[in-house]
Amino acid sequence: MKRLDPRLGAGLILLAVLWLAAATPAVLNAADRVRDRATADRLGRAVDAAVVAAQDERRLSLAVLAGGDASALDAARSRTDAARDELRARTGRWIYSASAAGLVSGLDGLAAVRTQVDGRAIGRTAVLSAYGSAIAAGVGLPWLPSGPESRAREALSEEDALLRAALSTTAGVTGAERVRVGELAGERRAGEPSTADQRLAAVEARVILGEGKPVSPAEWAAAADLVNAGLRAAENRAARDAVTADTPGAIRATVYGGLVAGVGLVALVGVLVLARRFRPALPSRAVAAPAPDDAAAGLQPLLLDLHRRNQRLLHRLLRLLDGLERRQSDEEMLGELYRADHLATRARRNVEKAVTLAGGPPARQWRRPMPMGEVVRGAAAEVEDYVRVSTAQIEPSALAGEAILEITHLLAELIDNAIAYSPAETRVRAGGRWADGGYTVTVADAGPGMSDLDLEHARQVMSTPRPPERGVWLGFYAVGRFAARWGAGVELLRGTAGGLVAEVRLPAGLMSRPVPDRPEQDGPPINRVDRMRARAGRVSDSTGTSVDLSNVGSAPRGDSEAQ
């Protein structure tokens, strides 16, 4: 009786641990990079809006204490509250929320200060201190790209609020306030001063020293507004540049994590299959055969659990890529995101195929039937050179929801094989029709075809539940396993004009008719390639029976790349 060598079993377990040790940091790093990018893009603008609103409210609060109009202050408070509520709504599981929560908490704490301002029961210094503490939580955060510019503009904003109020009173600027103005001016200045900076510095010197002609509120406003506008423009530019610069790194980390997890898992499953196939016989002792102690069988639940974990990681990566694609407006970067999305989709196909071959149920399921045209297009979207695939004359039909995932992978294996063994300049065509009480899907290529011996061997591999020897013909083996699970038949034929034609006969129990061959007009495309095209405005004509995928993943002539 044969059983697995314990040393080989230990080696398999060690290989699984090493793969997990390599894949987990790569996937977690990808998630962190994408989260950093999403934080700067999603939360940065909300923080900036809240800071600007609070700065405006601070200036108007000091103006009211100096005798200004209170109606403008009421409007500023409403804007601050709205910005705070928006910021609170944007923080969540995938967003760094600790610092943002500090800003929200600080803005919530302004209620008491507002009451004192309304009752004229607080001084300018106390107002500046309260608002400064709240605003500080949102200025220069480490994950916000415009830190230095934000701090410089906050210094000018506090200085501006103080002097506009103080210069409009008869008492003027106090000695303590002159010292504070000097401190704020020093915090703001950095680099080579512009003409506007020099003009503002001259006005500040007169305020701080109290010499020369007194500074009027209008003179101060004219000098400060020009510098503030320049700082604001630099702040926005730095934020935009930093978000753009982070995108390629997030894409690279996502692609690397997906490939390490997906390819490593497929390799591990391949080694396990080979180990189970070629188990060396160990000499038995004495009288009785050794008790069953198949280490590979004991390893199978662990591998299935690893498959599931990697499926969840890939699903999270694809959701993150979806979010990046929806928020990205740059066509060149959108093209890179779509290529990363396609690589992750192919890795997910391999992982889901490994789950099925290892005996596990599919992780993704549909509750409703799907148009057969969408199933075929989804299968084409899972192969590398999908731009060579087109569909023709797919008769209206719908596939039962529980069979969608594995029939899609079955067709993807046949399409992948047709692309690999046909000239690069030719097309692979897929079609579907009702026939013999069921539904038949055909995949035809223009390659050299197969010999009689190869055709017979492929039929044997597809009909045998045991994996093929030496790890070859695994694609046809997967086709046979998927077909057996749903009672489908697969036949390989020579094409009338050459090449190979694969016919997949789906039983009538899995099919229904008639239904439209595409989803509802206002619904999202089901497969990821159509989803990419929809975002680029290139979805195929819904009235046709032929769909050309070649415009997905390549730039049109005279236009920049957008997939």
Side-chain angles (χ1 to χ4, degrees):
M1 183 176 181
K2 291 184 177 182
R3 63 187 180 89
L4 191 67
D5 189 335
R7 292 171 297 179
L8 180 58
L12 289 173
I13 295 176
L14 179 61
L15 181 60
V17 172
L18 290 176
W19 165 75
L20 189 61
T24 301
V27 173
L28 292 179
N29 177 61
D32 287 341
R33 293 295 297 271
V34 173
R35 185 173 64 172
D36 289 344
R37 167 66 169 76
T39 298
D41 184 47
R42 177 181 176 185
L43 193 58
R45 282 192 285 267
V47 169
D48 180 73
V51 168
V52 170
Q55 290 171 338
D56 190 42
E57 181 182 337
R58 173 178 59 192
R59 177 179 58 82
L60 292 173
S61 296
L62 293 182
V64 167
L65 292 179
D69 183 16
S71 60
L73 176 59
D74 293 337
R77 289 173 176 175
S78 298
R79 290 192 296 270
T80 302
D81 292 341
R84 177 202 60 199
D85 294 340
E86 174 68 15
L87 178 59
R88 180 183 285 117
R90 281 178 175 266
T91 58
R93 178 181 177 185
W94 280 99
I95 300 298
Y96 290 116
S97 57
S99 299
L103 177 57
V104 171
S105 176
L107 296 178
D108 287 337
L110 294 177
V113 179
R114 291 174 175 178
T115 301
Q116 290 177 307
V117 169
D118 292 339
R120 310 306 191 270
I122 190 173
R124 288 195 296 262
T125 302
V127 171
L128 290 174
S129 176
Y131 278 89
S133 297
I135 293 171
V139 173
L141 294 176
W143 42 262
L144 285 179
S146 56
E149 292 79 6
S150 294
R151 285 189 288 269
R153 201 177 64 79
E154 163 58 10
L156 179 57
S157 174
E158 181 179 344
E159 183 182 359
D160 181 51
L162 171 60
L163 290 181
R164 283 181 190 253
L167 293 174
S168 63
T169 63
T170 56
V173 184
T174 66
E177 290 172 341
R178 295 179 195 276
V179 173
R180 182 57 180 162
V181 168
E183 294 173 348
L184 294 171
E187 292 178 11
R188 186 190 73 250
R189 293 168 188 164
E192 188 68 22
S194 63
T195 303
D197 291 327
Q198 293 173 352
R199 178 183 173 190
L200 180 60
V203 176
E204 287 172 334
R206 289 163 53 195
V207 172
I208 295 170
L209 299 176
E211 298 175 352
K213 180 182 177 181
V215 178
S216 67
E219 182 182 6
W220 165 257
D225 288 347
L226 193 60
V227 175
N228 185 62
L231 288 173
R232 182 60 176 164
E235 184 180 23
N236 290 334
R237 185 166 55 252
R240 183 172 57 253
D241 292 345
V243 169
T244 302
D246 283 345
T247 301
I251 294 174
R252 286 192 296 270
T254 301
V255 173
Y256 175 73
L259 289 178
V260 170
V263 175
L265 178 60
V266 172
L268 184 61
V269 172
V271 171
L272 176 62
V273 171
L274 293 176
R276 289 174 61 85
R277 177 63 179 172
F278 302 106
R279 289 178 296 178
L282 296 181
S284 60
R285 297 186 183 184
V287 198
D293 185 20
D294 193 339
L299 188 61
Q300 186 169 354
L302 171 63
L303 288 176
L304 279 174
D305 183 61
L306 292 176
H307 299 334
R308 293 300 186 201
R309 294 185 183 186
N310 279 278
Q311 280 183 314
R312 289 192 289 270
L313 291 173
L314 283 169
H315 291 167
R316 287 168 62 183
L317 284 175
L318 287 167
R319 284 197 298 271
L320 289 172
L321 284 170
D322 278 337
L324 286 174
E325 290 163 12
R326 284 192 293 270
R327 290 191 294 272
Q328 183 58 250
S329 58
D330 180 78
E331 291 192 352
E332 182 178 358
M333 195 56 62
L334 194 61
E336 295 294 332
L337 284 172
Y338 286 160
R339 276 187 284 276
D341 189 293
H342 186 232
L343 286 173
T345 301
R346 290 168 55 201
R348 182 179 64 183
R349 167 196 163 198
N350 288 334
V351 171
E352 290 176 342
K353 180 172 69 174
V355 169
T356 301
L357 296 181
R364 293 186 296 147
Q365 294 184 352
W366 282 257
R367 290 178 296 177
R368 299 178 181 178
M370 181 189 295
M372 200 62 206
E374 284 299 304
V375 176
V376 175
R377 284 186 284 270
E382 291 185 344
V383 303
E384 179 178 5
D385 200 5
Y386 59 88
V387 296
R388 292 177 51 200
V389 183
S390 65
T391 62
Q393 303 301 324
I394 299 181
E395 295 183 1
S397 61
L399 178 64
E402 62 270 19
I404 288 172
L405 181 65
E406 293 181 355
I407 298 301
T408 298
H409 291 336
L410 185 156
L411 295 175
E413 290 293 330
L414 294 174
I415 292 172
D416 209 357
N417 183 75
I419 288 176
Y421 292 96
S422 61
E425 68 275 10
T426 62
R427 306 282 287 179
V428 171
R429 302 190 178 277
R433 68 184 188 280
W434 289 96
D436 301 329
Y439 194 87
T440 299
V441 181
T442 60
V443 177
D445 63 61
M450 299 174 68
S451 66
D452 290 338
L453 183 61
D454 285 342
L455 284 173
E456 181 60 29
H457 188 63
R459 295 186 186 108
Q460 291 179 0
V461 169
M462 288 189 293
S463 61
T464 303
R466 294 182 62 83
E469 296 180 357
R470 296 182 298 278
V472 296
W473 300 83
L474 286 178
F476 283 117
Y477 173 72
V479 168
R481 295 305 87 218
F482 287 133
R485 286 170 71 101
W486 297 103
V490 181
E491 185 67 19
L492 303 178
L493 307 169
R494 290 192 180 91
T496 56
L500 186 69
V501 177
E503 291 188 351
V504 180
R505 295 183 298 277
L506 301 173
L510 294 180
M511 309 302 296
S512 59
R513 63 173 179 179
V515 296
D517 193 34
R518 293 190 60 83
E520 293 297 329
Q521 188 69 21
D522 58 350
I526 296 175
N527 72 69
R528 299 188 71 81
V529 168
D530 274 1
R531 202 174 305 168
M532 297 175 194
R533 275 194 319 197
R535 292 180 189 146
R538 296 175 182 169
V539 178
S540 304
D541 181 5
S542 62
T543 62
T545 58
S546 175
V547 177
D548 185 0
L549 298 177
S550 61
N551 63 345
V552 182
S554 59
R557 295 179 181 176
D559 194 5
S560 59
E561 178 175 307
Q563 299 182 22

